[in-house]
């Protein structure tokens, strides 16, 4: 019923904001904290709300731009939610939004900003060894130190088990680059890539080449979430969050980003099957009813696994699926990563993918899918926990 | 001389995994088992994920196994690996130790010859200060 509590507190995105995106080290004139605060301010302005209306802040991946200081910077008079989800880096992107939705649906907060600020030129470099890795004793001394190496092992086994080749990895990378070249804010805008350039790019960790790996960038992104009722007075059309979920299968906490001890039947996967079931179930949709998707592309091969785990094709069929042109704008069966994704727009730990999902639903993407009414967004894949959400427009 | 250079990060044993490294110091590869339900588990964890028992036994695993998956690493995520590039990291499994994978290196090989399923044999790499790390070579 439209007047029920659950309907009135149905969550929607009413504002999006992002900083300039640059290559790592490109933002030197202001701090990561300032970049992030300004992205939040821009998202709030976009919604037509004031920062004084914000009463919740949500993030993930141990975001260094702490909510307590963000409250000070933004002049938020009363903060009712200051929370972060645990776990695997970008795996928390949609998880932070799921958390925001839980808080809003329960009445604990009314206007929550989910955000991520990540200037790798100012902090740690994710592709390098760093302190504090989960079960670091069992990986660091063996030279397994960073996600490209760790997830290369998963992609390697995936390609061993199923008919997936470098041509299929290439298609994910080439699609992202083509989309980025329609997006003037993408770091790789103006840098088209040929198949030959992809194949000739240097190995990072086999089977992953340089262009199979996400960019190293500086940037921040934020989205404003509130109730559909609150959104009625605002100037932008609200974009419904039809569902959002976070979760993990067994063993993944010491899985791909740790000792590689996830269950065998699940090894060559995204750890996203349960989350997929949950977001489709809650939204009352099937994979066939998704018009466009933003799939977390830290590494090309993980995108292929996601296409299978989220049911867009069968297990082992992702190679054939992408070879058919399914991913391509504007007429592919499932256009993905329409801003250029993290392979070619920017690596903001997936929050930029959520922002692009909202643009698709608003009709303002630079690779707009005509008449798109549903968009799946995933969080980081092959990590624990992972997450996903489905956006919809009326 | 150790496989990687001396500035390579070393294990820093803690209360949950210390017994694993104590065994390595004796050049014996022991994996944690549940003393109540016999479930093997790795990396070490305080409770059995199957029956939640805190009783553990450390049992020696065979000194040979096979490659479950691997990567050939071509860049230095840490300066200490520079001289070994490209090097092979593998997840190795052992007969009779279901569900356990050990992240390790396959050394003394042509990295391009490595394939999933190859049999490998344990050797102990002396990293100094009385600690040894389990690494593997292709089995002849």
């Amino acid at each position: 019923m439209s007047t029920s509590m659950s309907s009135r507190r149905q969550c929607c995105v009413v504002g999006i904001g992002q900083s300039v995106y640059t290559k790592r080290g490109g933002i030197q004139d202001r701090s990561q904290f300032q970049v992030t605060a300004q992205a939040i301010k821009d998202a709030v302005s976009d919604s037509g709300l004031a920062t004084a209306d914000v009463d919740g802040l949500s993030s993930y991946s141990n975001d260094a731009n702490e909510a307590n200081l963000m409250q000070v910077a933004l002049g938020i008079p009363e903060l009712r939610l200051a929370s972060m989800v645990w776990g695997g880096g970008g795996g928390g992107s949609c998880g932070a939004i799921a958390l925001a939705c839980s808080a809003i649906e329960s009445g604990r907060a009314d206007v929550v900003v989910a955000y991520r600020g990540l200037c790798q030129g100012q902090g740690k470099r994710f592709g390098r060894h760093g302190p504090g890795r989960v079960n670091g004793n069992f990986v660091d001394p063996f030279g397994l130190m960073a996600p490209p190496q760790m997830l290369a092992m998963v992609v390697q086994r995936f390609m061993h088990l199923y008919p997936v080749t470098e041509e299929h990895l290439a298609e994910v990378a080439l699609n992202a680059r083509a989309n980025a070249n329609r997006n003037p804010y993408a770091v790789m805008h103006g840098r088209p890539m040929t198949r030959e350039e992809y194949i000739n790019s240097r190995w990072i960790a086999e089977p992953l080449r340089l262009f199979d790996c996400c960019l190293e960038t500086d940037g921040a992104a934020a989205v404003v979430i509130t109730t559909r009722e609150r959104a009625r007075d605002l100037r932008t059309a609200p974009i419904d969050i039809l569902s959002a979920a976070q979760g993990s299968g067994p063993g993944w906490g010491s899985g791909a980003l740790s000792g590689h001890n996830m269950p065998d039947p699940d090894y060559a996967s995204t750890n996203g099957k349960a989350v997929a079931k949950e977001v489709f179930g809650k939204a009352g949709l099937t994979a066939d009813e998704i018009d466009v998707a933003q799939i977390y592309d830290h590494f090309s091969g993980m995108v292929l696994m996601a296409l299978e785990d989220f049911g867009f094709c069968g297990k082992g069929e992702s190679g054939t699926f992408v070879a058919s042109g399914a991913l391509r704008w504007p007429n592919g069966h499932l256009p993905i990563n329409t801003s250029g994704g993290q392979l070619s727009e920017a690596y903001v730990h997936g929050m930029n993918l959520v922002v692009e999902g909202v643009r698709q639903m608003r009709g303002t993407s630079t690779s707009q899918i005509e008449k798109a009414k549903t968009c799946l967004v995933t969080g980081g894949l092959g990590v624990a926990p992972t997450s996903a959400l489905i956006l919809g427009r009326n | 001389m150790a496989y990687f250079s001396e500035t390579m990060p070393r294990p820093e044993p803690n209360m949950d995994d210390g017994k694993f490294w104590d065994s390595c110091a004796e050049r014996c590869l022991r994996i944690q088992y549940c003393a109540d339900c016999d479930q093997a588990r790795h990396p070490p964890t305080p409770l059995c994920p199957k029956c939640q028992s805190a009783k553990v036994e450390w049992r020696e695993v065979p000194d040979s196994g096979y490659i479950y998956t691997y990567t050939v690493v071509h860049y230095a995520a840490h300066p200490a690996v520079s001289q070994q590039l490209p090097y092979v990291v593998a997840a190795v499994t052992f007969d009779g130790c279901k569900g356990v994978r050990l992240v390790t290196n396959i050394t003394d090989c042509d990295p391009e010859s490595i394939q999933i399923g190859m049999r490998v044999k344990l050797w102990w790499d002396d990293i100094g200060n009385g600690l040894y790390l389990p690494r593997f070579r292709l089995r002849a």
Side-chain angles (χ1 to χ4, degrees):
Chain A
M1 290 192 307
S2 61
T3 53
S4 73
M5 178 71 178
S6 62
S7 175
R8 277 189 291 114
R9 296 199 71 84
Q10 160 72 45
C11 291
C12 50
V13 176
V14 292
I16 52 177
Q18 68 184 46
S19 70
V20 61
Y21 296 147
T22 72
K23 283 193 164 184
R24 180 179 63 87
I27 299 180
Q28 295 291 338
D29 60 339
R30 58 204 190 281
S31 69
Q32 173 181 275
F33 183 79
Q34 181 177 346
V35 170
T36 310
Q38 287 180 319
I40 295 173
K41 189 189 76 142
D42 289 348
V44 174
S45 299
D46 178 56
S47 72
L49 290 161
T51 52
D53 296 318
V54 173
D55 62 359
L57 294 170
S58 173
S59 190
Y60 56 102
S61 193
N62 299 325
D63 191 296
N65 311 290
E66 293 184 30
N68 45 333
L69 290 176
M70 201 56 77
Q71 180 184 12
V72 175
L74 297 171
I76 295 171
E78 186 184 356
L79 198 59
R80 299 164 69 206
L81 174 81
S83 289
M84 168 128 50
V85 297
W86 261 328
S93 60
C94 298
I97 291 172
L99 174 74
C101 293
S102 300
I104 290 168
E105 285 162 9
S106 71
R108 188 178 156 194
D110 292 319
V111 178
V112 180
V113 181
Y115 66 93
R116 182 79 177 103
L118 184 55
C119 295
Q120 289 200 53
Q122 297 182 23
K124 79 166 179 175
R125 200 171 166 187
F126 280 49
R128 296 292 190 270
H129 170 259
R133 185 161 290 289
V134 175
N135 283 316
N137 280 351
F138 292 94
V139 291
D140 288 339
F142 304 95
L144 190 68
M145 297 170 149
Q149 307 163 349
M150 295 171 149
L151 290 165
M153 304 234 292
V154 177
V155 177
Q156 183 85 265
R157 187 159 176 90
F158 178 64
M159 294 172 76
H160 169 77
L161 292 174
Y162 304 108
V164 170
T165 68
E166 64 182 11
E167 295 296 331
H168 304 137
L169 301 185
E171 174 60 13
V172 174
L174 291 168
N175 172 66
R177 188 63 68 89
N179 290 341
N181 276 282
R182 285 183 289 272
N183 173 7
Y185 299 104
V187 169
M188 287 301 190
H189 184 257
R191 296 266 316 269
M193 179 166 70
T194 65
R195 186 192 159 281
E196 288 64 38
E197 285 167 321
Y198 166 86
I199 292 288
N200 291 330
S201 69
R202 63 188 162 88
W203 288 119
I204 296 297
E206 294 181 46
L208 302 179
R209 294 175 165 87
L210 177 65
F211 295 135
D212 290 306
C213 301
C214 56
L215 303 170
E216 295 181 289
T217 57
D218 293 352
V223 301
V224 182
I225 303 147
T226 189
T227 61
R228 192 187 277 167
E229 179 163 281
R230 182 71 185 267
R232 281 196 309 210
D233 314 327
L234 300 179
R235 67 161 173 250
T236 55
I239 302 304
D240 284 333
I241 300 171
L242 301 178
S243 58
Q246 182 203 23
S248 178
W252 279 84
S254 51
L257 293 197
S258 166
H260 284 258
N261 282 275
M262 55 285 214
D264 174 64
D266 231 16
Y267 183 90
S269 86
T270 63
N271 187 26
K273 282 176 245 181
V275 163
K277 193 175 170 193
E278 192 162 340
V279 289
F280 284 124
K282 277 185 183 166
L285 293 171
T286 65
D288 284 343
E289 294 172 288
I290 297 296
D291 297 323
V292 56
Q294 316 300 329
I295 297 179
Y296 197 98
D297 51 346
H298 41 2
F299 304 106
S300 58
M302 301 308 295
V303 173
L304 298 175
M305 288 176 223
L307 294 169
E308 301 178 5
D309 291 350
F310 282 80
F312 296 108
C313 58
K315 192 70 194 165
E317 294 173 1
S318 57
T320 313
F321 183 77
V322 303
S324 74
L327 308 184
R328 294 298 182 122
W329 177 88
N331 294 319
H333 183 72
L334 181 75
I336 70 163
N337 301 3
T338 43
S339 67
Q342 302 187 109
L343 293 171
S344 284
E345 184 194 37
Y347 182 68
V348 196
H349 251 170
M351 195 52 79
N352 55 318
L353 299 181
V354 179
V355 168
E356 172 64 8
V358 174
R359 283 192 294 252
Q360 280 289 348
M361 295 297 93
R362 287 179 172 183
T364 60
S365 171
T366 50
S367 294
Q368 184 61 39
I369 304 304
E370 291 297 319
K371 298 179 184 156
K373 289 193 182 309
T374 55
C375 180
L376 171 76
V377 185
T378 85
L381 303 166
V383 301
T386 183
S387 60
L389 59 80
I390 298 174
L391 301 170
R393 80 167 165 204
N394 294 319
Chain B
M1 228 173 74
Y3 182 66
F4 291 114
S5 76
E6 61 182 15
T7 58
M8 190 70 171
R10 295 169 60 88
E12 294 170 13
N14 57 53
M15 291 176 78
D16 291 323
D17 69 15
K19 287 240 168 28
F20 180 90
W21 304 112
D22 290 347
S23 292
C24 289
E26 298 168 12
R27 282 176 275 184
C28 179
L29 184 57
R30 290 194 184 94
I31 293 291
Q32 191 182 42
Y33 278 76
C34 176
D36 281 327
C37 80
D38 256 4
Q39 173 82 20
R41 59 188 199 253
H42 182 79
T45 185
L47 299 183
C48 172
K50 197 169 155 195
C51 77
Q52 290 73 51
S53 166
K55 289 184 199 156
V56 302
E57 282 175 11
W58 293 83
R59 298 185 198 160
E60 188 168 359
V61 297
D63 66 357
S64 68
Y66 65 91
I67 297 173
Y68 181 83
T69 190
Y70 70 97
T71 181
V72 183
V73 177
H74 286 264
Y75 80 102
H78 187 287
V81 306
S82 301
Q83 289 177 340
Q84 280 297 357
L85 292 174
Y87 63 92
V88 179
V89 180
V92 167
T93 56
F94 305 92
D95 290 332
C97 197
K98 198 166 175 269
V100 165
R101 294 179 207 114
L102 185 75
V103 170
T104 182
N105 303 107
I106 312 301
T107 68
D108 307 288
C109 65
D110 169 9
E112 297 309 314
S113 73
I114 298 296
Q115 291 179 20
I116 288 172
M118 281 178 157
R119 303 292 302 189
V120 292
K121 187 163 172 53
L122 174 67
W123 67 278
W124 288 101
D125 184 18
D126 182 353
I127 62 165
N129 292 325
L131 190 54
Y132 297 80
L133 292 183
R135 303 195 208 272
F136 289 76
R137 296 187 179 100
L138 294 178
R139 213 164 121 163

